[in-house]
Amino acid sequence: MSRARCHLRAALFLAAVSSRGATTGVAARRVLSAWPAPQEPGMEYQGPVARDQNLMLARQDAVRTLNTLQTNANYLEQVKRQRGDPQTQLEAMKLYLARSGLQVEDLDQLNIIHITGTKGKGSTCAFTERILRSYGLKTGFFSSPHLVQVRERIRINGQPISPELFTKHFWRLYHRLEETKDDSSCVSMPGYFRFLTLMAFHVFLQEKVDLAVMEVGIGGAYDCTNIVKKPVVCGVSSLGIDHTGLLGDTMEKIAWQKGGIFKCGIPAFTVLQPDGPLAVLRDRAQQISCPLYLCPPLEALEEGGPLLTLGLEGEHQQSNAALALQLARCWLQQKGYQDTGELKASRPSLLGQLPLAPVFQPTSHMQHGLRDTEWPGRTQLLRRGPLTWYLDGAHTTSSMQACVRWFRQALHSRERPGGGSEVRVLLFNSTGDRDSAALLKLLQPCQFDYTIFCPNLTEVSSTDNADQQNFTVTLDQVLLRCLAHQQHWSRLHKDQASPEAGGPAPLLLAPRPAHTHSTSSLVFSCISHALQWISQGRDPVFQPTSPPRVLFAHPVAGSGAIVLQEAAAIHVLVTGSLHLVGGVLKLLEPSLSQ
């Protein structure tokens, strides 16, 4: 496939490319954004600006200043260099904590539930938090990454902290660290994630939460959340391969990292894992006298009682819910609560490697908590007129397998339109060191009619949206990455054999010539342009201004637009990156930006 270089206009609109045509590059290199010096907190904004606008501008200044700290990519490189001595990182985090005015012992007041894993740790946190909130407890919840606004990472009672609270705590912490920094030191200010972790500790203590659910950022042993000495309980969700450059390239090495959050005498729970990683977790726990238990499947807790309804879709959520129930119940028991569910007859461990956690009847509070759990961007459906958006931030091979199962099951159970065609569209992006070719191969069975690639940029210019800033890449770099995804997709379809007789019939957008089997694909320069092309003005909420003419300049874009305008139903799967899902949600759900 030849690569023709072309210049983008100043607006940097569309980089639309047919999988059967020439790929398009970009000549002009441009940093995505650069910010002016931040407004100092408390400084009056000039002119007749309303109070709400003042608050918005002050918060944007806080977020922009936060973005000047180390980016995640730089942080990972730093961690890689230091991982030979994990104590170096934890000691540095303790120093930051002390400079911020806290000691490690102060964190014991937060009654922390510490959760790690590769797949489902965020969902497990969300289930756990919602269960305990249903008991009337005031909850804190720290998670990453955010989807739309950075304050989503720090939640009180399930809600992101308010813009006012975010701004107040940000500047208080920032100035305290500025006043105590040593200019001769290379770590005078903490990086982005470390800063937010420190800020979460301060917010939760100031707001006097009854408990804090803390999601590990990356790994466990070296993660900055692991300065917590005395959590109430720890959990490990399903393990998989991710962040191999940092955590190791085998499940056993990754399990060793995850088991680093275990503490002496602190109960811990995990779900069913492959034999090798499970043995590593067991050994890690035994070495420090940590009581580690294997969660029974959710069906065991349902026996003899009502079926449990989960607020999150997908079969894989059952494992996350089973872990959350054990974590919540253990926390309640450790804190002296009585209503923790009636024990059932215990059963031996399935593998003999670990003792089985209690089999109990979930209480009504637990049942309501599971049912009412919300966790945007994970197996999330949005139905909008003829469009159904399927949003899942899967970005590892195992999580993508679960995403594909969920998507196909959702399609199978859908209501079919009375007449007219149905169209399947994939919107995909992948970043970092992830194997995008492997992820795309897993998506092939979904038989998409159109496949769209775009960077994790809501708009081509994101200068008005500090929450989704990325200082580490240029527009050229992210577009070239999308073009590489498209090439992978094209090769997969060229290599793909014809479907076996009797296999599932594809949902065709229209009768195709017998020789045409590959999916048409396009590359757009931002999420907004991709959504404009996919929705064709048919989403009642997403109604942008008239799209630029160049969106339909390519033959595939032009002919596809007609098909999408006439389709009775359009099914859009958005996956490959939580940041991509976040950008889509920002446009489809404007309330999330308020």
Side-chain angles (χ1 to χ4, degrees), residues 346-359:
S346 184
R347 300 186 297 182
S349 171
L350 298 177
L351 299 180
Q353 289 197 28
L354 291 175
L356 195 68
V359 179

Side-chain angles (χ1 to χ4, degrees), residues 109 140 196 256 488:
Q109 304 172 39
L196 288 171
W256 190 93
H488 287 315

Side-chain angles (χ1 to χ4, degrees), residues 260-324:
I261 70 167
F262 295 156
K263 305 293 186 298
C264 177
I266 303 297
F269 297 84
T270 189
V271 297
L272 191 62
Q273 313 278 6
D275 289 351
L278 191 63
V280 172
L281 291 177
R282 178 201 62 198
D283 294 344
R284 286 281 266 168
Q286 290 177 348
Q287 287 168 6
I288 60 167
S289 300
C290 165
L292 176 63
Y293 302 93
L294 183 67
C295 294
L298 201 62
E299 311 89 75
L301 277 63
E302 292 176 321
E303 289 178 7
L307 294 179
L308 298 173
T309 301
L310 305 185
L312 306 183
E313 296 195 18
E315 289 183 359
H316 58 288
Q317 295 294 355
Q318 295 186 13
S319 169
N320 301 328
L323 176 56

